[in-house]
Amino acid sequence: MPFEGGCQCGAVRYGCGAQPFVSYTCHCLACQKLTGSAFATCIQVPEESLSIVKGAPSSRARPANSGNRLTTSFCADCGSALYSENSARPRLRTIYAGTLDCAADVEVNAHIWTKRRLPWVVLPKGHRVFSEAGDWREDYAADPSRLER
């Protein structure tokens, strides 16, 4: 995979040259608000593999429930949230899968913050389920330092 994506209006485009470490769906209240939906589907990639190829995203930082700082990058023209950075894992970027050109290629197999899952969302059998934050140690076995500050 290298893959590409961008915002809804096309003003900001990005490319990524690495395979995701993990693909998951987050059911937390912040992701519900961010997407205006029941969840956000995310992929985590090495920060150096993500590059902006068109435009310049704006960003907004906020404290996360964990106490970490979450900085979300978005298109200033259309408001599409593109990716985020968590202060606890500065060497990673979390891309919102809905911004990928080929989002259908993302294979989700984990769900986090399911204690906030809306009751009508059915989780597929066989997926990893975490009531709060995910345990990604297995996904990062090849580069566990990515999970450190």
Side-chain angles (χ1 to χ4, degrees):
M1 182 170 190
F3 56 88
E4 296 179 347
C7 67
Q8 187 175 21
C9 73
V12 179
R13 300 279 306 156
Y14 63 81
C16 184
Q19 291 283 350
F21 286 106
V22 63
S23 303
Y24 61 93
T25 296
C26 181
H27 299 268
C28 79
L29 297 178
C31 282
Q32 291 176 23
K33 294 281 187 188
L34 178 74
T35 63
S37 186
F39 48 77
T41 301
C42 306
I43 61 173
Q44 291 183 352
V45 298
E47 58 92 15
E48 69 276 6
S49 71
L50 180 65
S51 60
I52 302 302
V53 296
K54 179 182 176 192
S58 294
S59 64
R60 178 183 170 273
R62 67 168 179 83
N65 290 336
S66 63
N68 297 321
R69 189 165 186 77
L70 187 69
T71 302
T72 302
S73 294
F74 60 93
C75 173
D77 292 341
C78 68
S80 297
L82 301 164
Y83 59 91
S84 64
E85 174 186 347
N86 188 317
S87 63
R89 297 182 179 103
R91 296 179 55 222
L92 295 175
R93 293 298 176 269
T94 300
I95 297 173
Y96 300 109
T99 67
L100 296 168
D101 291 346
C102 296
D105 292 343
V106 175
E107 292 184 36
V108 169
N109 67 8
H111 298 264
I112 65 173
W113 286 98
T114 58
K115 73 180 190 180
R116 301 286 189 226
R117 175 184 60 86
L118 296 178
W120 44 265
V121 173
V122 179
L123 302 180
K125 292 189 185 307
H127 284 203
R128 296 179 292 167
V129 175
F130 302 95
S131 68
E132 293 186 355
D135 179 354
W136 307 133
R137 288 176 291 190
E138 178 182 314
D139 303 279
Y140 285 85
D143 189 357
S145 69
R146 294 276 177 183
L147 294 176
E148 300 170 359
R149 282 185 197 249

